[in-house]
Amino acid sequence: MNERIAKIKQELETLKAETLQQLEEFRVRIIGKKGSLTQLFDEFKTVAPEKKKELGKELNVLKNDVISKITELREHFTSNEITVNDIDLSLPGNQDLIGTRHPISVAKNEILDIFKRLGFTVADGPEIEDDWHVFSALNFPPEHPARDMQDTFFISKNAENEQNNVLLRTHTSSIQVRVMETQKPPIRVVCPGRVFRNEAISARAHCIFHQVEGLYIDENVSFADMKQTLLFFAREMFGEGTQIRLRPSFFPFTEPSAEMDVSCSICGGKGCSICKYTGWLEIMGCGMVDPNVLESCGIDSKKYTGYAFGMGVERMSMLKWQIKDLRLYFENDVRFLRQFNSVI
Ligand code: DAH
């Protein structure tokens, strides 16, 4: 037995484990289930009682030495020191992810750019508005349904004077009122912005969306001027061969009013599911500014005339990129947003 103890001691002293695997082999050979030291512990039961004390001590000391040696060497192998050999220099570096513009912004900027090229400037206005700028100055009669709670989000209501009601603007036409109140003709502005309506959210409607409003006021501005400007816009936005048509409509702030359609850019006017087999897509409302509106804003309606138009940005971008569900714009799913990588 003593011989075998001496052999284990010697093995321990001369141990040269160069890899974790060699160390593990050593561990199994000495203190594994069938290891040489384990066997000595088994045989210890049969040793004469008078020798037990001394031998037991020796075996235990040896076992502790073996364990501490293994632990020490294992730490050495698993330490976090990184050497040049550990680094894979061929791995690609960490990429800096740059965000992309939201499709609403891309479409809005494209719309604004087209009108900027025609000499329009960009005007802004508040999202929290009063009744005057959203309704009254725009010739909405007091009982008009758009003033109803069902359509408008009110912040505060004034029972005595409706015009002092505070609300979230339901359209960007309010900005044209602010521009007319503060600027003298000639006026040429486009007004982008977020608008709010009390609508149930679905694939086709949302309570928050975006519009771009346009306003042109000068002497002798005619319906023909409007038509030609909007034709130019439609061709820049949807392609050279695009046709437009104007259908009679009604808005309180324009007279006459029209709804403008463009020929369907997907089927080229032949009819498809996007244009509901009509060959036409409705894209905006427009018309000649009602003289009542000009007068409300302090502009002489005998001297000046003008046209106005308004379009939904979500609708324009849905048509341009064939997006079928409005809610995608608000979910911020990067897989959707990444598709509109654009510098504008
Ligand atoms: N404000 C209208 C809306 O939200 C859009 C509109 C129609 C604006 C005709 C105009 C216009 O300036 O002339 O539905």
Side-chain angles (χ1 to χ4, degrees):
M1 205 173 213
N2 283 341
E3 247 171 55
R4 282 151 71 194
I5 292 174
K7 191 168 171 259
I8 295 172
K9 278 185 181 164
Q10 198 203 350
E11 251 191 276
L12 183 61
E13 269 161 34
T14 57
L15 173 66
K16 269 200 209 114
E18 270 159 15
T19 62
L20 255 183
Q21 201 190 336
Q22 284 175 4
L23 183 65
E24 181 60 11
E25 278 163 14
F26 171 78
R27 187 191 67 78
V28 173
R29 198 165 61 241
I30 310 295
I31 52 170
K33 256 191 183 167
K34 290 181 185 155
S36 47
L37 187 56
T38 316
Q39 272 174 22
L40 290 180
F41 270 98
D42 285 344
E43 287 168 29
F44 179 73
K45 294 169 207 146
T46 61
V47 167
E50 66 274 14
K51 288 191 181 166
K52 264 196 170 151
K53 197 176 168 202
E54 202 187 328
L55 187 65
K57 196 174 162 198
E58 197 173 7
L59 284 180
N60 275 324
V61 169
L62 182 57
K63 189 176 180 188
N64 285 341
D65 286 352
V66 170
I67 291 173
S68 54
K69 181 83 177 178
I70 290 173
T71 321
E72 182 195 327
L73 287 175
R74 187 175 285 149
E75 262 170 32
H76 169 74
F77 282 121
T78 53
S79 79
N80 286 334
E81 264 174 58
I82 297 174
T83 67
V84 174
N85 292 338
D86 296 329
I87 303 171
D88 181 353
L89 295 172
S90 67
L91 280 177
N94 288 339
Q95 218 187 335
D96 282 336
L97 286 177
I98 301 170
T100 57
R101 283 214 193 278
H102 193 281
I104 299 287
S105 299
V106 179
K108 180 195 78 183
N109 291 344
E110 205 169 323
I111 297 165
L112 296 182
D113 277 350
I114 296 169
F115 286 105
K116 279 192 218 164
R117 274 184 264 144
L118 291 173
F120 284 74
T121 54
V122 178
D124 202 3
E127 292 178 348
I128 298 174
E129 268 289 9
D130 52 30
D131 174 282
W132 169 256
H133 291 93
V134 177
F135 298 126
S136 297
L138 287 164
N139 205 30
F140 279 79
E143 70 286 358
H144 194 282
R147 297 187 130 149
D148 209 302
M149 282 283 255
Q150 268 153 12
D151 294 304
T152 306
F153 289 113
F154 287 93
I155 289 169
S156 72
K157 281 203 157 198
N158 187 309
E160 275 143 49
N161 187 354
E162 205 177 35
Q163 287 183 12
N164 291 341
N165 284 345
V166 180
L167 44 93
L168 295 179
R169 67 180 175 202
T170 55
H171 55 181
T172 42
S173 305
S174 55
I175 308 176
Q176 42 158 302
V177 176
R178 291 189 175 270
V179 171
M180 285 190 275
E181 282 174 342
T182 53
Q183 294 179 26
K184 289 200 163 32
I187 292 171
R188 251 183 266 133
V189 284
V190 271
C191 321
R194 204 154 55 140
V195 300
F196 308 84
R197 283 184 203 174
N198 197 355
E199 303 244 15
I201 296 170
S202 72
R204 315 209 115 246
H206 208 287
C207 54
I208 303 173
F209 54 101
H210 300 76
Q211 289 186 330
V212 172
E213 182 84 9
L215 178 70
Y216 190 146
I217 297 177
D218 203 349
E219 291 179 40
N220 301 318
V221 175
S222 70
F223 198 86
D225 294 329
M226 179 184 85
K227 191 178 158 197
Q228 208 55 31
T229 308
L230 296 182
L231 175 64
F232 174 81
F233 166 75
R235 294 197 164 157
E236 290 290 293
M237 191 76 190
F238 293 104
E240 252 181 58
T242 307
Q243 303 289 320
I244 62 164
R245 75 175 182 188
L246 292 162
R247 283 178 290 109
S249 184
F250 175 79
F251 299 101
F253 34 90
T254 44
E255 183 58 38
S257 306
E259 212 88 57
M260 186 173 107
D261 300 342
V262 290
S263 52
C264 180
S265 52
I266 289 130
C267 63
K270 283 193 207 82
C272 67
S273 62
I274 304 288
C275 62
K276 300 203 188 89
Y277 301 96
T278 62
W280 295 96
L281 300 161
E282 183 186 317
I283 62 160
M284 68 170 100
C286 56
M288 301 305 291
V289 181
D290 192 302
N292 285 345
V293 175
L294 294 174
E295 294 296 334
S296 293
C297 301
I299 290 176
D300 183 354
S301 64
K302 298 212 174 55
K303 188 168 177 202
Y304 294 107
T305 52
Y307 63 78
F309 55 88
M311 66 189 100
V313 181
E314 278 81 356
R315 172 137 180 94
M316 301 297 275
S317 89
M318 282 172 110
L319 294 176
K320 212 171 157 65
W321 294 303
Q322 293 177 49
I323 296 162
K324 301 227 165 57
D325 195 321
L326 252 186
R327 289 166 291 196
L328 285 166
Y329 290 121
F330 294 90
E331 280 166 4
N332 284 339
D333 184 332
V334 287
R335 290 167 303 176
F336 171 71
L337 297 175
R338 272 204 198 118
Q339 300 172 65
F340 307 93
N341 199 348
S342 163
V343 284
I344 26 171

